[in-house]
Amino acid sequence: MESTIGLYRTELIEPQRPWKNLSQVELATAEWTDWYVHRRLHGETGHIPPAECEANHYKEPTKPQVTNTI
């Protein structure tokens, strides 16, 4: 979580200072969050956005849990 907050501050908050009002920050935060979840390509997920990776995960059939009994 800390690295996400750092990225948010580095990419959005600091470069656009000074902010005129809270509404401006809220709108920019909503836009940045939409990009971060829906359009950002992530290398660990095959260069697809996180939302698409999550949707693909839930499309896969569930595999039964293997349990060992002693």
Side-chain angles (χ1 to χ4, degrees):
M1 188 67 186
E2 288 180 17
S3 61
T4 303
I5 292 169
L7 184 64
Y8 164 76
R9 288 185 64 195
T10 301
E11 291 185 351
L12 180 71
I13 298 300
E14 296 297 329
Q16 295 189 34
R17 288 177 58 197
W19 295 91
K20 294 179 182 173
N21 55 45
L22 182 58
S23 296
Q24 193 180 39
V25 176
E26 289 174 341
L27 178 60
T29 298
E31 290 170 345
W32 184 86
T33 302
D34 178 68
W35 165 82
Y36 192 83
V37 174
H38 296 283
R39 291 186 299 280
R40 173 180 62 105
L41 301 180
H42 196 286
E44 293 295 320
T45 61
H47 296 286
I48 61 173
E52 184 178 337
C53 180
E54 182 178 8
N56 292 344
H57 171 76
Y58 286 110
K59 286 180 187 175
E60 294 177 10
T62 57
K63 299 173 186 164
Q65 288 277 345
V66 176
T67 57
N68 294 329
T69 56
I70 298 177

